[in-house]
Amino acid sequence: MIVMQRCWYLTVRDCGPAGFLAEANYTDTTNDQTLMLEIERRTLLIKRAVLEVHRGQPGAPASATLSSLEGVTAHFGCGQQLRQALADNPDLLDMAAQAVSAVIQAEAFFYQERGFASEVIYDDYWDEVYKNTCVYYSNLDRVEQRFNEYIKEQRRGLNLFHRYLLTAVEETAGESLNIRGHLMDSYHEMALTLKLNPAYQVSEASATMLRCPAPVCREALTMVDTIKGTPLTTANRKRYNSTLGGASGCTHIGHLVLEAAHALEIFNRTKDD
């Protein structure tokens, strides 16, 4: 029986001369809120940040401007600024990080405005930035189709990028749990299944990829076995990033496992309330 769900919808929209609008829409069984970032076109500076709380936080204003995020560049290297701006609210920090990640993913559709003269030069930039960070970027000599070729058939208007993340916690017999995670976005589609024993250790783990940039990406699926026998907890964030998302892994699989850990912690917190 499904006892708790957690869902993200991330999107980046082209607003013309006004810039871009990045949204992180988050919903779980007890909470519902949206973070909107208005972003300058050329610099990717956050001009305005607004949080809307729809459900689950009694006493919170329905809408609030987050001036602490203004002036942050929504791109690589802004993590410390985000942490300084939102240190007292880890959930909101997560939302901001998700929104920035979506902007980075969307850049493939406005790379020329960012100073890259061609798709090939932009791909070369990514190859260097992400070198050896996942199985794809560790095996570029085996990748037959470059990323710009992989996405060339996509037609983008106002919506430059979107991503769905869904995690569901399921109670089973014997006080064990199953957690299922799904990621679908403009470039990927994958699913994760974890079985936990009563001590919340991973007893079984499996994953699949329905869409990915190259066949070599699927080799990362074998790395899921490395978390078997370990507790599922957000305290293992670095392990998920380095092992599941390391040179032989996939950052998105690591992301799904971390989402599963968040879902477990929210489920336990609400169960105890």
Side-chain angles (χ1 to χ4, degrees):
M1 179 178 66
I2 301 295
V3 291
M4 204 280 290
Q5 295 189 115
R6 188 171 194 255
C7 181
W8 292 92
Y9 175 57
L10 310 171
T11 186
V12 178
R13 291 185 175 87
D14 189 337
C15 300
F20 305 103
L21 177 65
E23 288 189 4
N25 299 276
Y26 175 78
T27 302
D28 65 30
T29 306
T30 62
N31 188 24
D32 191 353
Q33 54 189 351
T34 299
L35 176 64
M36 293 170 285
L37 304 181
E38 297 177 10
I39 298 171
E40 192 172 78
R41 292 197 73 87
R42 186 181 61 83
T43 65
L44 299 187
L45 288 175
I46 297 174
K47 299 186 295 183
R48 187 167 180 259
V50 176
L51 175 69
E52 291 187 352
V53 177
H54 313 298
R55 172 178 56 86
Q57 296 186 31
S63 179
T65 298
L66 306 178
S67 58
S68 62
L69 289 176
E70 294 174 6
V72 174
T73 301
H75 209 266
F76 291 119
C78 72
Q80 183 175 353
Q81 288 178 288
L82 293 180
R83 288 189 292 272
Q84 290 174 343
L86 304 170
D88 60 340
N89 193 326
D91 291 336
L92 190 52
L93 175 60
D94 196 13
M95 295 186 75
Q98 296 272 13
V100 168
S101 175
V103 173
I104 294 171
Q105 296 288 309
E107 189 182 51
F109 297 105
F110 58 88
Y111 64 86
Q112 288 177 315
E113 296 181 48
R114 297 284 292 151
F116 298 94
S118 70
E119 295 172 337
V120 172
I121 292 174
Y122 185 64
D123 267 1
D124 288 344
Y125 160 77
W126 272 92
D127 290 352
E128 185 60 32
V129 168
Y130 268 132
K131 186 176 181 180
N132 296 326
T133 58
C134 70
V135 68
Y136 177 96
Y137 285 106
S138 301
N139 294 277
L140 291 172
D141 57 324
R142 298 166 53 201
V143 174
E144 297 180 0
Q145 185 183 51
R146 301 200 73 184
F147 186 74
N148 71 81
E149 297 170 326
Y150 172 66
I151 66 172
K152 68 180 179 181
E153 299 300 325
Q154 294 197 22
R155 297 183 297 275
R156 292 287 162 183
L158 299 181
N159 187 317
L160 300 179
F161 177 80
H162 56 267
R163 171 175 289 164
Y164 300 86
L165 282 162
L166 174 63
T167 310
V169 179
E170 178 185 19
E171 285 187 328
T172 63
E175 298 184 355
S176 59
L177 297 175
N178 291 340
I179 302 185
R180 306 183 188 278
H182 302 269
L183 180 152
M184 293 177 286
D185 67 22
S186 303
Y187 315 134
H188 314 86
E189 186 174 353
M190 58 191 69
L192 170 78
T193 301
L194 301 178
K195 293 187 176 182
L196 309 182
N197 63 24
Y200 298 144
Q201 295 174 324
V202 179
S203 58
E204 296 183 34
S206 62
T208 185
M209 293 186 186
L210 302 180
R211 286 184 295 120
C212 52
V216 70
C217 294
R218 292 188 171 91
E219 295 179 11
L221 296 174
T222 61
M223 300 302 294
V224 179
D225 280 343
T226 63
I227 64 171
K228 289 171 64 174
T230 64
L232 182 66
T233 170
T234 57
N236 282 336
R237 176 189 297 267
K238 289 185 178 179
R239 174 173 182 165
Y240 302 148
N241 289 340
S242 62
T243 303
L244 297 174
S248 299
C250 170
T251 55
H252 303 297
I253 293 293
H255 190 175
L256 277 179
V257 172
L258 185 60
E259 285 294 303
H262 275 295
L264 176 63
E265 291 179 358
I266 293 171
F267 168 66
N268 283 328
R269 186 168 67 240
T270 55
K271 182 180 64 174
D272 295 336
D273 287 345

